[in-house]
Amino acid sequence: MNRNRRADWRRVKGKLSYTIDEAARALGTHRNTVRHWVKKAGLPAMTETRPHLILGGNLVAFLQAKRASRKQKCGPGELYCLRCRASRRPVPGLLEYRPLTRTRGRLVGICSTCEAILHRFVSTRRLTAVAAEFNLQIGDHHESLADSALPALNCDSSTPAEK
Ligand SMILES: [Zn+2]
């Protein structure tokens, strides 16, 4: 079922031009998705015509680039949504970092488009950069965890009173 929903450029004829509706139909995707690609994602379209026309060749190149970049990483401030099958911004304020090991953790958020769970594995080396990218307060989280995890180790009562 997932495979059927993936926009497949092999159904696009490079030498034809498509309206947004036609492109959506050829790809088996929603026309709003194609519209979004044109408006926000850099898919070139001939916008001086009505309806707008997309060259098949551009559409194929766009989908290939999109797939390639999807395999690498999302844009700044984005996580990959498995349900949308696209990079999405997480809902602000509902994003958190969950440590998995000493060197690795997971960013977990909620898709601002479909509300599915988003996540991305992050190595702790990149954590500072990622926190800045998502405007995430990881330092505070750490401190509060440390505070509660180490209750009375430095407590005066355990200090031997020898002088
Ligand atoms: Zn989504």
Side-chain angles (χ1 to χ4, degrees):
M1 140 193 165
N2 288 339
R3 284 178 187 280
N4 293 337
R5 293 187 55 199
R6 177 179 295 166
D8 188 347
W9 67 80
R10 279 161 293 205
R11 294 186 222 156
V12 174
K13 306 252 189 311
K15 290 186 175 158
L16 294 181
S17 54
Y18 293 81
T19 65
I20 283 173
D21 279 0
E22 286 165 350
R25 220 171 299 137
L27 293 168
T29 186
H30 196 276
R31 82 170 80 107
N32 285 348
T33 305
V34 180
R35 204 169 278 150
H36 174 82
W37 292 344
V38 172
K39 280 191 182 160
K40 309 268 172 156
L43 171 60
M46 294 178 281
T47 50
E48 58 290 358
T49 61
R50 297 279 164 175
H52 300 344
L53 288 177
I54 300 160
L55 290 176
N58 284 341
L59 185 53
V60 171
F62 172 81
L63 291 171
Q64 286 174 337
K66 192 166 149 61
R67 189 172 142 171
S69 73
R70 186 181 283 179
K71 280 184 176 170
Q72 291 154 21
K73 58 178 177 180
C74 303
E78 291 181 333
L79 297 171
Y80 182 65
C81 176
L82 288 169
R83 193 191 285 171
C84 293
R85 303 194 147 258
S87 300
R88 296 291 191 219
R89 290 193 169 273
V91 177
L94 293 180
L95 186 69
E96 64 176 21
Y97 175 75
R98 296 181 189 164
L100 294 172
T101 66
R102 281 180 178 278
T103 56
R104 238 170 157 231
R106 210 157 66 105
L107 272 186
V108 182
I110 293 173
C111 176
S112 55
T113 303
C114 76
E115 300 186 334
I117 299 293
L118 304 175
H119 72 96
R120 188 206 281 185
F121 290 104
V122 180
S123 75
T124 47
R125 267 184 303 120
R126 294 200 59 243
L127 192 52
T128 312
V130 169
E133 178 185 331
F134 288 93
N135 199 14
L136 193 63
Q137 311 266 314
I138 288 167
D140 294 347
H141 185 58
H142 261 303
E143 276 164 35
S144 63
L145 254 189
D147 286 348
S148 57
L150 300 171
L153 282 184
N154 300 324
C155 187
D156 287 341
S157 62
S158 64
T159 310
E162 291 177 12
K163 280 194 177 176

